[in-house]
Amino acid sequence: MATYDFHTIERKWQDIWEKDQVFSIDPASAENRYYVLEMFPYPSGRIHMGHVRNYSIGDVVARYKRMRGHAVFHPMGWDAFGLPAENAAIKHGVHPAKWTYENIATMRAQLKRMGYSYDWSREIATCHPKYYRWEQEFFLKFLRRGLVYRKKAPVNWCPGCHTVLANEQVEDGKCWRCDALVEQRELEQWFVRITAYAEELLADLDTLAGGWPERVLTMQRHWIGKSTGMEIDFALEDMDGAVTVFTTRQDTLYGATFMSLAPEHPLVERLIAGTPQEAAVREFCRKVINMDRFQRAADDLEKEGMFTGRFCINPVTGRRMPIYVANFVLMGYGTGAVMAVPAHDQRDFDFAAKYELPLAVVIEPRGEHLDPARMTAAYTEPGVLTNSGPFDGMDSEAAKEAIAAMLEEKGLGRRAVNYRLRDWNISRQRYWGAPIPVVYCDACGVVPVPEDQLPVELPLDVQVRPDGRSPLPECDAFVRTTCPTCGGPARRETDTMDTFVESSWYFARYLAARDESQPFDPAVTNAWLPVDQYIGGIEHAILHLLYARFFTKALRDEGYLAVNEPFAHLLTQGMVLLDGSKMSKSKGNIVDPDAMVERYGADTVRLFCLFAAPPEKDLEWSDRGIEGAHRFLLRVWRLVDELADILTPVGACAAISGNLTPAERELRRKEHDTVRRATNDLDDKFQFNTAIAALMELVNALYLAKDELRGTACGPQVLSSAVATVLTVLSPFAPHLSEELWQRLGFTTMLVHTPWPTYDPAALVLDEITVVVQVNGKLRGQVTAPASASEDELRTLALADPNVARHLEGKTVVKVIVVPKKLVNVVVR
Ligand code: ANZ
Ligand code: ZN
């Protein structure tokens, strides 16, 4: 018997597929296009099980769609810039570029060993100047359109290391390296004006419904966070000017009793100038501003504030409202000022209780009265207006509209929309990233690098600093340049771009991966986009997917692309767990894919990942499970081996002429039903596990039928067809073994070029037989049963027949004799 030598077989087919360029297509000429894409990996060192799962899912989709007649585009690349490369450089003294390219080489070999059907001729690495060159061009285009701008923004600053820290490098408000307390500093940073697209990013989520998981759409809606309300002006007392607030609850305006400002609010200095509390307020503000940004925005933040000594006037009640600075008011949201309505907002209620500020009830539940002195919490529900002048008695929802109209008419406010979404800070004070293509000139200011001077290459001949600071500012060869405008001396920007910028457009670049004259070939790219099926982790539900959606729209508006959305369908696969917790290096609960491939082969590892759970669910790693997957493949191998002498290359779901015996018909029914089930499971639902289960049943049926059928007239044909079906349906999951056995069956065309089978509905009809039922030898009834019914099933059917049951009443059944396919005799006493 031939042994299943998976190492040799897998290598053999990988070489053949590669040599024949089976998975390379010409995107320019392809018809019936299907673009399947998995989120590209960060080259961290080695492939982990999460990758294997992600890419195995994508590979089944790719191979299946190819068999269904699509021209499938299935590329792979590397999200290759980022902090870990720098950290490794510091730790191991190796240059980030070397580290990155070596990891890519290792991981590429690992992926190839898995037999994934990638078009490797279009591989991209985002750290390559020929890639980021286009990104720099986009930056300049966006800059010209005002979609990129420069602004002061707070960053995490470590006074010990004299450097900016990424959020991940701040632990408990301290520097991860030197433990110094991290400060918030204002630095000039580059921002992408994603908020300009907030409305479209929100509205177009509706067009993705059905294609994207509802959960991801909800997360994105929440992240964009649209609020509809008003801006209302409150005149200052004894001073020129006004405080403008953003509120979604203008219906509570008559209940506004004080004002809360963010400590960063530009009015604060003017308000406190010359007051007795000037110094104390300034000190308070400084403290709050230096707080960690995350702590500050936390829900359980202890609310604190300080009176500025000034008042403003409620525009409808004329009430004098003390102006406070408060730590929970954020400068980045709305106008940075909040009209405080302590009776109807819980934060304001807590604040008022703490600083003994008055409450004014202006909304009551219908038919009830609220006594401010006895309230223990704010009343935040809708209700009926009270103490609200002409609006008393009005429903609060209606009052929102009525008060908005009144304020607009009097010029006291205007309707406004606010988004939680913030502009995207893309400046990183890091080395291993794409340079931002601008220079600073004393005479001309900020000057964009002319497009014909792109790329601004990241210099590779630098020494990474052990303190983590970027070596770029000290790299004279890079920094010192001449101003493109006046020719005088100038300095290059030394910040690099956030790595999320590279992953925001890579899916479009694959289609023109080697084109050095343009980032995209419009005719080709637009014919292929959006990606038909995108697959990746739920951890990217917000940022990566939002940035990619934004880039698609912004590049569309620059004339590069002609689509509105990058990904038509999204599948977010679950995690790979070991003993109930996520596999991770830090937990030390890693199962190394290479070790598994070494032991069982790539086909087994793939099959296990696809069989153990539906793709969106978490997958629990189990040694028993992988053994089971391996045993199944061995069973398929043995089946073909045992039947080798009678199998012929008839193809899956072959038409068979001749009269079939019931057993032949039954196997054929099972075969066609397997194709029906697997096709249903794979079409868009991607229920790989149930498709594999159906395949396992077919293999069981083959084992049961093979000895009988090898001797019947049509048996060998029926067996050959069923075996061909097993291999065809199995091939997207376990492509090497399937391809090898396919060849052994005598096929001359490779399985990868073989279409997916179509089942014959007529073959699905169950064969039925009529069985006679006797009681003590006398004919008492007839039952119809499937031809395949077992003795047990026949016995149960016979005893349940109403006429038979009548003759059994009051008697004891001694024995039931079953003559298969003919007769059941019930012996009673
Ligand atoms: C008066 C009021 C009365 C409010 C009331 C709420 C309840 P969303 O829905 O999230 O947009 N707010 C506005 N700007 C703020 C800032 N910079 N920092 C902290 N809070 C701010 O919330 C809008 C509400 O959040 C606004 O409506 C404002 O408080 C508060 F019974 O104004 B409200
Ligand atoms: Zn200049």
Side-chain angles (χ1 to χ4, degrees), residues 775-776 780 806-814 827-829:
V775 177
N776 284 348
R780 293 302 183 201
R806 205 149 38 80
H807 286 90
L808 300 180
E809 256 166 49
K811 311 236 164 75
T812 313
V813 176
V814 183
V827 181
V828 296
R829 225 186 3 205

Side-chain angles (χ1 to χ4, degrees), residues 74 387 669:
H74 189 206
N387 301 321
R669 191 191 64 75

Side-chain angles (χ1 to χ4, degrees), residues 313-326:
I313 308 297
N314 184 316
V316 289
T317 61
R319 180 198 274 270
R320 294 177 76 218
M321 296 164 56
I323 304 177
Y324 276 71
V325 284

Side-chain angles (χ1 to χ4, degrees), residues 358-680:
L359 293 190
V361 169
V362 291
I363 295 183
E364 289 174 333
R366 190 165 288 280
E368 264 180 60
H369 176 66
L370 283 183
D371 178 358
R374 303 176 61 172
M375 284 172 82
T376 54
Y379 177 73
T380 58
E381 302 292 307
V384 179
L385 264 67
T386 181
N387 301 321
S388 296
F391 302 98
D392 278 2
M394 195 180 270
D395 179 81
S396 57
E397 278 308 308
K400 276 187 186 164
E401 182 47 41
I403 291 179
M406 177 272 285
L407 290 173
E408 281 196 320
E409 196 191 302
K410 294 194 175 160
L412 295 169
R414 55 240 138 241
R415 286 173 220 258
V417 171
N418 246 283
Y419 297 90
R420 220 179 73 88
L421 182 67
R422 295 279 79 101
D423 278 342
W424 173 15
N425 180 346
I426 57 160
S427 283
R428 295 292 177 274
Q429 293 72 38
R430 311 296 323 186
Y431 164 65
W432 192 235
I436 292 174
V438 298
V439 304
Y440 300 99
C441 166
D442 284 342
C444 312
V446 181
V447 183
V449 173
E451 276 182 26
D452 60 11
Q453 290 175 26
L454 296 183
V456 175
E457 278 198 46
L458 184 70
L460 295 181
D461 54 345
V462 295
Q463 201 71 55
V464 170
R465 301 170 50 108
D467 64 4
R469 242 155 103 183
S470 168
L472 285 182
E474 269 97 65
C475 176
D476 278 352
F478 175 75
V479 174
R480 288 214 193 136
T481 183
T482 49
C483 169
T485 306
C486 71
R491 287 178 62 80
R492 283 195 193 281
E493 171 64 86
T494 55
D495 282 357
T496 55
M497 285 192 244
D498 180 5
T499 58
F500 273 108
V501 179
E502 283 91 65
S503 52
S504 295
W505 59 282
Y506 77 110
F507 48 89
R509 177 64 182 166
Y510 279 130
L511 290 155
R514 297 290 174 268
D515 193 336
E516 293 185 19
S517 65
Q518 54 184 354
F520 315 115
D521 177 344
V524 174
T525 308
N526 292 322
W528 279 88
L529 290 183
V531 171
D532 293 281
Q533 183 66 54
Y534 196 35
I535 305 165
I538 187 77
E539 67 274 18
H540 295 295
I542 300 177
L543 293 185
H544 162 56
L545 290 170
L546 194 67
Y547 294 149
R549 295 183 59 223
F550 159 78
F551 248 78
T552 303
K553 293 170 190 302
L555 291 175
R556 173 200 63 198
D557 292 346
E558 285 294 341
Y560 287 107
L561 298 177
V563 288
N564 295 324
E565 287 288 335
F567 313 119
H569 296 264
L570 171 71
L571 187 152
T572 48
Q573 98 267 359
M575 292 185 297
V576 181
L577 310 177
L578 185 67
D579 300 329
S581 60
K582 185 181 173 178
M583 276 191 195
S584 75
K585 255 194 207 150
S586 57
K587 287 209 196 82
N589 59 344
I590 296 268
V591 175
D592 180 38
D594 264 3
M596 291 295 128
V597 172
E598 196 52 43
R599 184 145 163 217
Y600 298 103
D603 278 341
T604 293
V605 175
R606 294 168 57 118
L607 189 72
F608 168 72
C609 285
L610 297 162
F611 179 58
E616 328 75 53
K617 295 274 158 50
D618 289 347
L619 180 155
E620 178 76 45
W621 184 267
S622 109
D623 293 340
R624 289 236 319 272
I626 190 139
E627 288 279 355
H630 192 61
R631 266 200 312 275
F632 172 66
L633 293 183
L634 275 171
R635 233 166 115 70
V636 174
W637 180 268
R638 212 159 25 88
L639 181 71
V640 177
D641 197 54
E642 273 181 36
L643 293 174
D645 56 326
I646 57 138
L647 293 178
T648 50
V650 297
C653 293
I656 293 168
S657 52
N659 268 338
L660 299 191
T661 67
E664 288 164 356
R665 269 205 300 278
E666 175 52 20
L667 182 62
R668 189 159 178 277
R669 191 191 64 75
K670 192 88 201 166
E671 176 195 355
H672 284 251
D673 194 46
T674 302
V675 173
R676 181 189 63 80
R677 284 169 63 185
T679 308
N680 274 341

Side-chain angles (χ1 to χ4, degrees), residues 227 246-249 252 328-331 333-339 341 344-345 347-348 418:
S227 292
F246 171 72
T247 179
T248 49
R249 294 295 308 274
T252 65
F328 63 87
V329 181
L330 307 173
M331 195 57 222
Y333 190 74
T335 59
V338 178
M339 70 177 204
V341 184
H344 303 293
D345 179 278
R347 285 186 309 187
D348 297 342
N418 246 283

